Amino acid sequence: MQVEEYLNDIAEREGTVHLTLIDPASQSPEAAAEIAKAAVAGGTDAILIGGSTGAGGVALDQTLIKIKEQVDVPTILFPGNAGGVSTHADAIFFMSLLNSRDINYITTNQVMGAPIVYKSGIEPISMAYIITEPGGTVGWVGDAKLIPRNKPELAAAYSLAGKYLGMHYTYLEAGSGADQPITPETIGAVKHVLGDNKLIVGGGIRDGKTAKICADAGADMIVTGTIVEETDDVKKKIEEIVSAIKK
């Protein structure tokens, strides 16, 4: 089964997919593998690997190699630019930052990375990437014109554009370490226009209660990243979040 089919199947059967995001720049490859192993033990469905800065090259390759030695769930690239592509992953979120002011994040990095994806046989999963307030580091690096928290109709319009351009997934991102998640109103408005297309939500989700609010509002997939770097018990934290969002 391909990775996209795998994720869609979980969303249909269990209600919501859980994805753990690991930044290769935040720890050693060995430590990243231990985080991934604990997250899988806690019930996460797949491991995302990527970051906004310093997340490419040898560090990315070695992190993927070590993670794949420890887990059997899919590994999915979450690249900040063309340098975030590695031949060691199972799939890649092939995304365009639709609300960026910089064409490099809309099409140029995609053009540079596409031949590598093609030659390596990594599965591309097309995705519209949309950053909302507060945006965090990714909003600054990607030069995003942030979607205001009180303007769900703007997020819905961008999401529709991505859907009409043929993108299968939409990712609403508040930014790593955001002090609050995306509002249920925004999530609901976006899911309403997306219909059967899958909606991913990340940023500011640190506990089961928050994750459930996002899932109940319409998120098909929940991403947690910063919290796995901060907690002393990754397995327990992931279990808390996963148990809150599954049927």
Side-chain angles (χ1 to χ4, degrees):
M1 182 181 294
Q2 291 186 320
V3 175
E4 184 174 348
E5 293 174 338
Y6 164 83
L7 296 176
N8 291 349
D9 180 62
I10 293 173
E12 295 300 322
R13 287 187 295 104
E14 301 180 14
T16 312
V17 176
H18 182 266
L19 307 171
T20 296
L21 172 60
I22 297 176
D23 187 342
S26 296
Q27 66 283 299
S28 69
E30 292 77 13
E34 289 303 314
I35 291 173
K37 182 179 179 181
V40 171
T44 200
D45 297 304
I47 303 295
L48 300 184
I49 304 96
S52 301
T53 58
V58 174
L60 174 60
D61 288 338
Q62 289 300 313
T63 296
L64 274 162
I65 290 169
K66 293 297 182 182
I67 287 175
K68 289 178 74 68
E69 289 174 355
Q70 295 291 335
V71 306
D72 57 5
V73 300
T75 53
I76 306 170
L77 292 169
F78 184 56
N81 52 48
V85 180
S86 171
T87 60
H88 298 285
D90 298 308
I92 181 171
F93 279 161
F94 201 85
M95 56 193 185
S96 175
L97 178 47
L98 293 188
N99 60 323
S100 176
R101 300 178 181 90
D102 186 344
I103 194 172
N104 288 296
Y105 292 99
I106 302 173
T107 56
T108 306
N109 278 293
Q110 292 76 1
V111 170
M112 294 172 64
I116 303 172
V117 173
Y118 177 76
K119 292 176 182 177
S120 67
I122 303 168
E123 178 187 346
I125 301 174
S126 60
M127 190 172 78
Y129 192 38
I130 302 163
I131 304 178
T132 73
E133 292 178 339
T137 301
V138 67
W140 185 85
V141 171
D143 194 16
K145 189 173 183 180
L146 302 176
I147 304 294
R149 287 178 57 80
N150 63 345
K151 295 291 184 181
E153 67 274 13
L154 292 181
Y158 271 103
S159 299
L160 268 177
K163 177 181 178 179
Y164 293 161
L165 285 167
M167 297 170 181
H168 298 177
Y169 287 3
T170 298
Y171 191 142
L172 287 181
E173 169 76 272
S176 296
D179 56 1
Q180 50 189 336
I182 294 167
T183 66
E185 292 76 16
T186 296
I187 295 171
V190 170
K191 182 57 182 176
H192 178 73
V193 300
L194 287 180
D196 292 335
N197 279 31
K198 295 296 183 278
L199 172 60
I200 307 173
V201 175
I205 302 172
R206 295 182 173 84
D207 53 49
K209 179 180 179 181
T210 305
K212 180 170 174 53
I213 291 171
C214 293
D216 288 348
D220 298 294
M221 305 184 197
I222 297 290
V223 176
T224 51
T226 302
I227 190 62
V228 298
E229 300 172 6
E230 298 175 344
T231 183
D232 294 327
D233 192 334
V234 173
K235 179 176 179 291
K236 182 178 180 181
K237 176 55 67 174
I238 296 301
E239 281 179 340
E240 172 197 343
I241 295 172
V242 168
S243 64
I245 64 175
K246 299 288 186 178
K247 287 181 179 177

